Amino acid sequence: MTKMTGPVRLKLRTSGLKSKAQLILNIVKENPYQNLPPYEKLVGDLNGTYSRRINIQRRLVYQVYENEHIIKVLRLWTHYE
């Protein structure tokens, strides 16, 4: 998994979402297709990526490279910008 950058860490900590984000990251690390919490397969410009809710406003958007056994986190704070 890719590492969180400093600004994202700070935003998660100050918003009180750090533990929820870490829980979701751990779930994705173990099984990126586990259905709880639900994930959404994205389409359009983000085709091939997946999204999970951290809260009503914030999302985790990631890509799975199955052959390489890599999960790349594309966004952890912003929505689908």
Side-chain angles (χ1 to χ4, degrees):
M1 299 208 37
T2 52
K3 302 237 182 217
M4 280 191 274
T5 62
V8 171
R9 270 182 207 233
L10 181 62
K11 287 178 183 178
L12 286 170
R13 189 175 58 228
T14 58
S15 68
L17 295 173
K18 183 179 177 185
S19 61
K20 175 92 185 240
Q22 191 61 53
L23 174 68
I24 293 172
L25 285 169
N26 289 338
I27 289 169
V28 168
K29 183 178 178 182
E30 291 299 315
N31 179 1
Y33 306 111
Q34 179 178 323
N35 202 24
L36 286 175
Y39 68 90
E40 176 183 350
K41 189 171 183 176
L42 302 178
V43 295
D45 291 344
L46 293 171
N47 190 29
T49 62
Y50 300 87
S51 171
R52 291 182 190 255
R53 252 178 218 246
I54 298 172
N55 71 3
I56 193 81
Q57 184 180 12
R58 305 298 176 198
R59 305 284 187 281
L60 166 67
V61 179
Y62 62 97
Q63 256 178 329
V64 178
Y65 297 96
E66 299 220 11
N67 293 336
E68 297 86 3
H69 302 289
I70 294 173
I71 299 166
K72 182 178 182 182
V73 175
L74 303 174
R75 296 180 178 102
L76 187 59
W77 182 256
T78 59
H79 199 199
Y80 306 126
E81 300 167 349

